[in-house]
């Protein structure tokens, strides 16, 4: 376990963390989910999830809760039929809640706002479904979505779900290359985008990246049939429309003019809902496949359970981007299936002023707030003066997701943002799990700063050693999931074998899913997630693969070889640090050019914070790069045990070079 050593320091801190926060009495008394749920679920897991599935509206009830006969390929709610968009929209209108606000959208430019009720959302989703059908989208076709945080992004996702056309949302911060590889991998027929979106006061273009991605895909033999474009910023865009035989069409000329009548068809519970690409240990992103019935069941249930959602009175806000799984499960599918009212914000946290988020919470009277530790840490640095200027007494529960939340950030969040009234729920899950797996229940579990506490009812999690045996309380090991769960990934798009090898091979004998994280059980048996143990890093809550960045670096003509590690970073959790060997003739001081190259190949989030030019890389006798040694060095721990290196003097050379670079 490579991170275990680097986390040794943190571990001893955690052992001394003994602050405890009880659930507020009122919340405990009226909580949606109470302590009995744990017993109920362990007595009969299938019955527990069947009851959760009953919260949805099914066109046809299932015959069997779980089919695990062909493990690790699961089928949940076998024989059931439903439409995800109907569940997120139409049924709320039919229940008489059409006038309830679904999306209270706040654009980045101050005053640019839109309120969308469930009835309006139903009309827009229907229009988009009709327009996509007219563009040739049929059930089963893939649609790529590359959009800013505007309501049309959600409308498009739901329109795809309504048609049974799996969507793949690509984060708007990814480059044309990254977009192209995802379009190609899932063979997307249509791309939905916008001219641009607002970031820090400026219109930031999206359409040019789609044009470029379309060309890259075409060169690889895949033609995108149509590109549907929302006019958001009004900026100039290159246009290749039907007049010129091209694929571009405007949203306002197609969707806005389409009929608001659309009858949703019910699909099999296992019909693909979406593919979300995430980084793994190899260079190629994995297309994580989620299906309909089980996914929607767990996304909706956990949102209701962990945020104790009262749809009539709560105002929920999740700050994630829809380009990540958090946006899928906890902006789109979970909250909307529950009929929640939510805030959706387009821009950056600190624009036009540093208190923008707190101002939105005050103005919209947000009650439930969900964000990431990296954001909390950056606000912590600004002090409490700015949040103190805002009345945030509406807040009743605060959530955290994406990376381990350090006890200091947890306590600051609870104290400064939550006024010491609000429980903090630290929710552990992954793109692959689709929904929350480990988290406190706000009306049941007492809070321990830094701990995600225990598996939610109906979820099996444990920490095991190398042989797959549970570790004792007070010890660390590998985090595993011991039972199948409704929102589990079904496979990796187009690669069943990679699915088996990546997640189910490590603890094959036990039949455990290996999450890739290291964790610890404390003396009470509560779980502390410590971070990745594989070659995956977590930068600002975003998962990046070391290999992917290495491939980007070696694709530059100056680079002969590269090794990338994630080094602990105060602001971003981990930072990308790259060690590169240059080719002969490469100019000196080309580090900036290399880091711009990574930005172009993958996107700004993958840009190395530091690039070190080195004469050699530490390798084992079999030629495997020892990233652990480089990580030790990048984190300032000096040269570790080099006995397994083919040439043990190399680390001394690299360390000397690094020391010199730091002195310069
Ligand atoms: C990885 C999954 C889940 C949506 C956002 C990230 C880390 C996530 C926590 C948490 C400690 C966490 C893990 C996990 N992670 N939540 N509460 N405490 N670590 O999704 O990109 O699929 O990344 O994020 O390392 O494996 P993702």
């Amino acid at each position: 376990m490579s991170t275990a050593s680097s986390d040794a320091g943190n571990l001893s801190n955690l052992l001394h963390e003994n602050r405890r926060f009880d659930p507020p009495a009122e919340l405990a008394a009226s909580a949606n989910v109470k302590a009995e749920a744990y017993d109920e679920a362990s007595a009969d897991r299938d019955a527990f999830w069947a009851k959760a599935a009953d919260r949805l509206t099914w066109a046809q009830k299932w015959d069997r809760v779980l089919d695990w006969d062909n493990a690790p390929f699961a089928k949940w709610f076998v024989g059931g039929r439903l439409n995800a968009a109907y569940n997120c929209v139409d049924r709320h209108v039919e229940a008489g809640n059409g006038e309830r606000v679904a999306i209270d959208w706040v654009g980045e430019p101050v005053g640019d706002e839109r309120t969308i009720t469930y009835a309006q959302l139903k009309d827009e989703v229907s229009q988009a479904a009709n327009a996509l059908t007219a563009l040739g989208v049929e059930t089963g076709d893939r649609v790529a979505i590359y959009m800013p945080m505007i309501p049309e992004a959600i409308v498009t996702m739901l329109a795809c779900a309504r048609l049974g056309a799996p969507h793949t949302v690509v984060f708007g911060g990814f480059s044309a290359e990254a977009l192209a590889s995802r379009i190609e991998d899932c063979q997307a027929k249509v791309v939905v985008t916008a001219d641009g979106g607002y970031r820090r006061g400026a219109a930031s273009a999206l359409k040019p990246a789609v044009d470029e991605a379309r060309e890259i895909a075409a060169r690889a033999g895949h033609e995108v049939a149509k590109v549907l474009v929302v006019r958001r910023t009004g900026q100039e865009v290159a246009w290749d429309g039907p007049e010129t035989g091209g694929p571009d069409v405007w949203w306002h000329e197609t969707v806005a003019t389409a009929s608001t009548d659309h009858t949703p068809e019910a699909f099999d519970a296992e019909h693909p809902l979406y593919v979300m690409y995430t980084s793994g240990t190899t260079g190629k992103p994995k297309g994580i496949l989620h299906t309909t019935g089980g996914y929607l069941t767990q996304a909706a249930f956990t949102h209701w359970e962990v945020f104790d959602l009262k749809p009539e009175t709560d105002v929920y806000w999740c700050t994630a981007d829809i380009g990540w799984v958090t946006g899928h499960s906890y902006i789109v599918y979970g909250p909307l299936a529950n009929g929640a009212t939510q805030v959706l914000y387009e821009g950056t946290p600190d624009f036009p002023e540093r208190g923008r988020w707190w101002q939105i919470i005050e103005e919209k009277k947000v009650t439930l707030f969900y964000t990431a530790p990296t954001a909390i840490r950056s606000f912590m640095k600004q002090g409490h003066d700015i949040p103190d200027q805002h009345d945030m007494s509406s807040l009743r529960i605060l959530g955290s997701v994406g990376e381990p939340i350090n006890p200091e950030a947890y306590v600051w969040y609870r104290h400064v943002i939550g006024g010491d009234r609000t429980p903090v729920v630290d929710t552990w899950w992954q793109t692959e799990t689709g929904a929350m797996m480990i988290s406190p229940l706000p009306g049941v579990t007492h809070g321990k700063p830094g701990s995600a506490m225990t598996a939610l009812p109906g979820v099996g999690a444990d920490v095991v050693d190398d042989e797959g045996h549970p570790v004792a309380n007070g010890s660390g090991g590998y985090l595993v999931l011991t039972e199948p769960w409704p929102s589990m990934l079904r496979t990796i798009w187009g690669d069943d074998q990679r699915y088996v090898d990546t997640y189910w091979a490590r603890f094959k004998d036990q039949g455990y899913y290996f999450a890739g994280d290291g964790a610890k059980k404390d003396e009470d048996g509560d779980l502390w997630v410590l971070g990745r143990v594989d070659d995956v890093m977590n930068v600002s809550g975003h998962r990046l693969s070391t290999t992917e960045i290495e491939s980007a670096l070696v694709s530059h003509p100056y680079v002969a070889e590269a090794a990338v590690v994630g080094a602990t970073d105060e602001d971003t959790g981990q930072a990308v640090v790259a060690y590169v060997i240059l080719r002969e003739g490469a100019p000196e001081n080309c580090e900036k050019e290399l880091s711009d190259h990574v930005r172009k190949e993958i996107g700004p989030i993958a840009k190395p914070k530091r690039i070190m030019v080195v004469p050699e890389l530490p390798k084992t006798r079999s030629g495997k790069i020892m990233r652990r040694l480089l990580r030790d060095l990048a984190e300032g721990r000096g040269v570790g045990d080099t006995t397994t290196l083919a040439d043990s003097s190399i680390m001394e050379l690299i360390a000397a070079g690094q020391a010199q670079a730091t002195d310069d």
Side-chain angles (χ1 to χ4, degrees):
M1 248 180 80
S2 48
T3 27
S5 62
S6 58
D7 279 323
N10 297 346
L11 248 168
S12 58
N13 287 342
L14 299 184
L15 292 175
H16 298 117
E17 177 52 65
N18 48 27
R19 286 169 286 195
R20 300 287 179 270
F21 302 106
D22 286 331
E26 202 187 319
L27 204 164
S30 64
N32 288 346
V33 177
K34 304 223 163 92
E36 298 82 71
Y38 292 102
D39 297 332
E40 202 190 309
S42 49
D44 189 344
R45 191 180 305 274
D46 284 8
F48 178 84
W49 285 120
K51 202 167 133 195
D54 266 332
R55 298 180 66 256
L56 302 178
T57 305
W58 296 77
Q60 190 181 309
K61 177 111 179 177
W62 58 89
D63 322 304
R64 195 173 163 194
V65 174
L66 168 65
D67 175 352
W68 193 232
D69 301 346
N70 188 26
F73 297 94
K75 288 195 179 114
W76 281 86
F77 307 113
V78 184
R81 295 182 78 81
L82 77 169
N83 185 291
Y86 172 85
N87 271 279
C88 290
V89 186
D90 306 45
R91 66 170 180 151
H92 305 312
V93 180
E94 288 170 15
N97 295 319
E99 296 313 305
R100 184 184 295 165
V101 173
I103 301 169
D104 195 350
W105 179 72
V106 180
E108 195 188 73
V110 175
D112 190 0
E113 301 196 4
R114 242 178 100 191
T115 303
I116 301 172
T117 63
Y118 275 96
Q120 290 166 333
L121 187 60
K122 176 173 178 280
D123 286 350
E124 289 198 30
V125 171
S126 299
Q127 287 183 307
N130 283 321
L132 287 172
T133 303
L135 293 177
V137 174
E138 290 174 16
T139 301
D141 286 343
R142 274 80 60 207
V143 174
I145 301 176
Y146 186 67
M147 288 174 98
M149 288 287 283
I150 55 178
E152 289 84 349
I154 296 180
V155 168
T156 306
M157 290 166 73
L158 291 171
C160 290
R162 198 174 184 91
L163 297 174
H167 53 71
T168 186
V169 184
V170 180
F171 175 55
F174 275 131
S175 67
E177 280 79 3
L179 173 61
S181 75
R182 287 156 177 79
I183 289 174
E184 272 170 54
D185 189 76
C186 73
Q187 301 277 295
K189 187 173 193 176
V190 168
V191 180
V192 185
T193 188
D195 48 0
Y198 287 101
R199 297 299 290 171
R200 274 182 224 288
S204 145
L206 286 167
K207 173 76 165 43
V210 175
D211 297 341
E212 199 184 328
R214 193 160 61 76
E215 279 170 28
I216 299 170
R219 283 200 294 276
H222 174 71
E223 292 289 344
V224 171
K226 292 285 175 195
V227 178
L228 176 58
V229 190
V230 176
R231 184 180 275 161
R232 163 66 186 131
T233 60
Q235 68 201 106
E236 199 65 46
V237 290
W239 199 255
D240 184 10
E243 321 76 56
T244 45
D248 296 348
V249 289
W250 284 112
W251 179 282
H252 57 266
E253 289 174 359
T254 48
V255 180
T257 56
S259 162
T260 54
D261 285 329
H262 185 272
T263 310
E265 187 189 331
F267 299 108
D268 191 276
E270 284 300 332
H271 189 77
L273 182 61
Y274 68 82
V275 179
M276 171 91 239
Y277 286 86
T278 189
S279 299
T281 50
T282 71
K284 191 172 181 270
K286 300 178 287 200
I288 303 301
L289 176 68
H290 284 294
T291 58
T292 309
Y295 171 79
L296 198 61
T297 293
Q298 196 174 337
F301 181 74
T302 51
H303 179 253
W304 178 77
E305 157 188 61
V306 171
F307 283 106
D308 189 44
L309 178 80
K310 308 286 194 263
E312 301 79 16
T313 47
D314 274 319
V315 177
Y316 167 78
W317 181 19
C318 167
T319 66
D321 191 282
I322 44 130
W324 310 110
V325 75
T326 307
H328 284 54
S329 302
Y330 297 106
I331 293 179
V332 182
Y333 291 107
L336 294 177
N338 289 331
T341 292
Q342 70 179 316
V343 170
L344 181 75
Y345 175 56
E346 176 186 34
T348 39
D350 50 359
F351 192 86
E353 37 102 16
R354 295 199 288 185
R356 184 82 196 261
W357 274 14
W358 321 129
Q359 192 268 324
I360 293 173
I361 290 177
E362 176 173 15
E363 187 189 318
K364 304 289 180 188
K365 300 200 167 34
V366 172
T367 59
L368 311 171
F369 184 62
Y370 197 23
T371 195
T374 182
I376 300 167
R377 284 193 302 268
S378 80
F379 287 122
M380 264 174 90
K381 278 191 139 166
Q382 299 168 5
H384 56 85
D385 295 358
I386 298 166
D388 282 354
Q389 289 160 19
H390 295 277
D391 175 3
M392 293 191 273
S393 57
S394 55
L395 288 171
R396 60 181 200 97
I397 296 172
L398 300 175
S400 171
V401 63
E403 54 179 312
I405 179 165
N406 43 309
E408 287 60 41
Y410 177 113
V411 170
W412 188 90
Y413 192 30
R414 190 188 146 93
H415 178 67
V416 177
I417 306 305
D420 278 330
R421 299 175 321 275
T422 57
V424 171
V425 286
D426 175 9
T427 62
W428 179 90
W429 57 292
Q430 310 179 292
T431 303
E432 291 86 343
T433 70
M436 297 168 186
M437 301 295 282
I438 302 173
S439 168
L441 286 180
V444 178
T445 325
H446 64 245
K448 257 185 207 179
S451 171
M453 305 302 284
T454 55
L456 285 167
V459 170
D462 208 340
V463 181
V464 300
D465 63 18
D466 262 311
E467 275 75 53
H469 303 306
V471 302
N473 287 355
S475 311
Y478 302 98
L479 182 62
V480 295
L481 299 171
T482 57
E483 304 284 345
W485 63 100
S487 63
M488 64 195 290
L489 75 165
R490 297 304 195 258
T491 189
I492 292 173
W493 185 261
D495 202 343
D496 287 348
Q497 192 57 47
R498 190 174 177 200
Y499 165 68
V500 175
D501 295 345
T502 307
Y503 304 106
W504 301 94
R506 180 71 184 76
F507 298 104
K508 187 169 180 290
D509 297 343
Q510 295 81 2
Y512 292 162
Y513 167 93
F514 174 45
D517 284 320
K520 183 187 129 58
K521 287 188 216 168
D522 67 14
E523 297 302 338
D524 306 321
D526 293 324
L527 301 171
W528 298 71
V529 180
L530 301 173
R532 306 291 306 190
V533 295
D534 50 17
D535 289 333
V536 169
M537 24 184 175
N538 188 325
V539 179
S540 300
H542 300 140
R543 212 199 301 183
L544 297 171
S545 136
T546 52
T547 327
E548 201 178 349
I549 302 174
E550 286 165 5
S551 324
L553 282 166
V554 295
S555 74
H556 192 283
Y558 294 163
V559 180
E561 249 188 293
V564 166
V565 297
T568 304
D569 184 273
E570 228 184 272
D571 300 326
T572 57
Q574 283 189 307
V576 180
V577 177
Y579 293 84
V580 298
I581 304 176
L582 295 180
R583 285 185 194 281
E584 223 164 297
E588 270 186 44
N589 305 322
C590 62
E591 289 89 341
K592 168 140 195 332
E593 187 174 338
L594 297 182
S595 104
D596 287 344
H597 178 69
V598 174
R599 182 193 179 101
K600 180 174 172 295
E601 289 293 310
I602 306 174
I605 40 167
K607 211 177 129 173
K609 184 163 182 182
R610 260 190 298 154
I611 295 188
M612 306 286 309
V613 174
V614 295
E616 257 319 322
L617 289 171
K619 288 186 184 157
T620 60
R621 270 166 276 268
S622 61
K624 191 173 162 358
I625 297 175
M626 297 275 293
R627 291 194 186 75
R628 181 174 54 78
L629 293 175
L630 293 171
R631 186 160 45 223
D632 284 348
L633 205 59
E635 294 179 342
R637 274 186 302 279
V639 179
D641 178 6
T642 58
T643 46
T644 51
L645 287 184
D647 176 353
S648 59
S649 65
I650 280 163
M651 281 309 293
E652 298 298 338
L653 260 170
I654 297 175
Q658 176 164 304
Q660 200 189 342
T662 325
D663 287 347
D664 288 348

